[in-house]
Amino acid sequence: MIRIEHLVKNYGSNCALDDVSFSVSQGEIVGLLGPNGAGKSTAMNILTGYLSSTSGKAMIDGVDILSDPLRAKKMIGYLPEQPPLYPDMTVWEYLSFCYDLKGCRGDRAAHLREICDTVRLSDVSGRLIRHLSKGYRQRVGIAQAMVGDPKVIIFDEPTVGLDPKQIIEVRNLIRGLGKTHTVILSTHLLSEVQAVCDRIVIINKGRIVADEKTERIANAVSESRRFRAKICGPQELVLQALLEMPGVARAELLPERDGDASVYALETEQGLDIRKKLFYLLSERGWALVGLESSGVNLEDIFLSVVNSSDQSGTKRAPRSARKTRRGKATEEETLGEALYEDADRRRKESAAQKNDED
């Protein structure tokens, strides 16, 4: 449904997008992430026809957005970070205005009622937009993107400024839209992408540095062998025993307490379950285990690892298996982040080589 091929955008000597290529299938929800200035907004502005590219193609259902913009734009619904609302209009007047602006045909009233029902605006459709809360204004912005039933909907930071309840409602709405539309969601929150999207694409310094199914990230979280243990006993002796325990890859005393229990972070070797051995070890030494919980993989650290890997791409680094961190061993986040970056970098080089062969 969406295909971007070797997209380049230069602002003078500054390269905002550097040979970006990816595609989005029909009915897929893709999360677009990256630090500030990475090129996310530039990519979306080109995809929506707001900006032209220096070179490359951006196509919507086979239609090039640059060579046939009107036809391509009819298939796009767009919610910018600041929704383009007219506060002196009622919700219904504004959506009716968008209906005319997009040149829609058919039963206007039925179409707008269906949209209002979907985004839960029916109860406020007669109210002035200026009198609506931030959450309802965001819904109005989503509603205008849905007018005309476009095949592709693009959201730029759709949950910024919303309270937790409103965030959940917007996420549920986006998941529902993904059943019948192709959706691109731009955000800074990896946790939000994991909750909503089928795939994650990370951009840094104008290049795609990770492109992976969300399922793989979720599997990494579910397979994590990382725990928080609350143990009563002498801190130095407990920590030494944990470090010497077979199967423990890392142990660290955390600056937390639970009554007279200290809290320790544990990470086990891949595929090993040390919970029973840990219980017996502590029992033999008379140290009480008052809590043990899986802490999982930190999603934000995966994102940072991918970005850091791309930032260091021009420097010579040790093999991943031999790399050390300040804790003495590469964490799961660092290992997974580097793997995602290496996969994306390999695909980019293969795509560039194929383009050179065709040229």
Side-chain angles (χ1 to χ4, degrees):
M1 179 56 67
I2 298 174
R3 190 164 82 253
I4 291 178
E5 296 180 352
H6 306 288
L7 207 60
V8 174
K9 178 62 178 178
N10 295 322
Y11 294 100
S13 61
N14 179 42
C15 183
L17 291 179
D18 183 8
D19 195 21
V20 169
S21 298
F22 70 93
S23 61
V24 185
S25 303
Q26 172 68 37
E28 190 175 25
I29 305 178
V30 170
L32 192 62
L33 295 116
N36 290 329
K40 302 188 307 297
S41 295
T42 299
M44 288 192 298
N45 286 335
I46 292 174
L47 193 58
T48 56
Y50 182 74
L51 285 177
S52 62
S53 62
T54 303
S55 63
K57 293 182 178 180
M59 288 170 282
I60 308 294
D61 198 18
V63 180
D64 193 318
I65 187 70
L66 298 179
S67 61
D68 195 352
L70 291 180
R71 184 180 168 199
K73 288 178 182 180
K74 288 181 179 179
M75 295 184 279
I76 300 173
Y78 180 43
L79 173 66
E81 185 175 347
Q82 297 294 331
L85 306 179
Y86 291 93
D88 292 327
M89 288 183 174
T90 66
V91 172
W92 187 268
E93 289 171 343
Y94 174 70
L95 295 180
S96 183
F97 169 71
C98 294
Y99 185 93
D100 292 333
L101 198 64
K102 294 183 178 183
C104 300
R105 299 179 180 179
D107 191 330
R108 178 196 304 260
H111 180 55
L112 297 185
R113 276 198 302 268
E114 181 181 2
I115 292 174
C116 288
D117 289 341
T118 300
V119 299
R120 298 182 181 178
L121 285 172
S122 299
D123 293 341
V124 298
S125 62
R127 293 179 58 183
L128 291 175
I129 292 175
R130 70 165 62 250
H131 295 152
L132 298 180
S133 66
K134 168 70 174 178
Y136 272 109
R137 291 188 185 190
Q138 199 74 353
R139 290 189 194 186
V140 176
I142 295 174
Q144 66 81 23
M146 295 171 60
V147 171
D149 195 25
K151 295 181 179 180
V152 174
I153 299 181
I154 300 174
F155 295 110
D156 188 0
E157 302 286 354
T159 59
V160 169
L162 302 185
D163 63 41
K165 181 176 182 294
Q166 293 168 339
I167 289 174
I168 293 173
E169 291 175 347
V170 171
R171 288 179 179 177
N172 290 335
L173 176 58
I174 293 173
R175 275 195 294 264
L177 290 174
K179 296 178 181 178
T180 54
H181 301 76
T182 299
V183 179
I184 291 182
L185 167 66
S186 173
T187 179
H188 286 92
L189 305 176
L190 189 58
S191 57
E192 179 166 285
V193 171
Q194 189 196 18
V196 174
C197 300
D198 304 311
R199 201 168 107 228
I200 296 174
V201 175
I202 301 177
I203 296 181
N204 186 41
K205 294 183 177 178
R207 287 187 173 183
I208 291 180
V209 296
D211 184 350
E212 188 56 71
K213 294 285 187 181
T214 314
E215 183 180 4
R216 180 181 175 187
I217 307 296
N219 288 340
V221 173
S222 64
E223 294 172 2
S224 172
R225 307 312 307 168
R226 187 176 293 177
F227 299 93
R228 285 165 50 91
K230 299 177 181 179
I231 303 171
C232 299
Q235 292 181 345
E236 292 185 4
L237 295 178
V238 171
L239 181 59
Q240 185 63 32
L242 294 176
L243 289 169
E244 295 174 352
M245 184 177 174
V248 173
R250 183 176 66 87
E252 180 182 357
L253 175 64
L254 300 178
E256 304 174 33
R257 292 192 66 86
D258 184 356
D260 61 344
S262 300
V263 183
Y264 302 83
L266 301 175
E267 188 174 320
T268 70
E269 299 289 351
Q270 186 66 31
L272 294 180
D273 188 346
I274 65 162
R275 289 175 295 180
K276 289 183 180 180
K277 292 181 180 180
L278 176 64
F279 173 79
Y280 292 133
L281 171 67
L282 298 177
S283 297
E284 290 173 359
R285 304 198 181 188
W287 300 332
L289 177 64
V290 298
L292 183 65
E293 60 183 14
S294 176
S295 57
V297 169
N298 189 301
L299 298 173
E300 282 70 26
D301 282 351
I302 294 174
F303 170 79
L304 291 176
S305 177
V306 170
V307 172
N308 290 337
S309 295
S310 66
D311 287 341
Q312 299 169 14
S313 61
T315 61
K316 185 176 181 179
R317 299 182 300 165
R320 193 193 321 159
S321 59
R323 206 158 303 139
K324 302 292 184 180
T325 69
R326 61 183 175 83
R327 290 180 292 216
K329 185 179 186 295
T331 64
E332 291 178 78
E333 291 90 349
E334 290 167 328
T335 300
L336 179 57
E338 291 183 8
L340 291 173
Y341 168 71
E342 290 169 5
D343 287 345
D345 191 49
R346 174 183 53 80
R347 286 194 292 265
R348 184 184 64 81
K349 290 177 180 177
E350 290 175 351
S351 177
Q354 182 180 359
K355 182 176 183 294
N356 289 334
D357 291 341
E358 292 174 353
D359 292 343

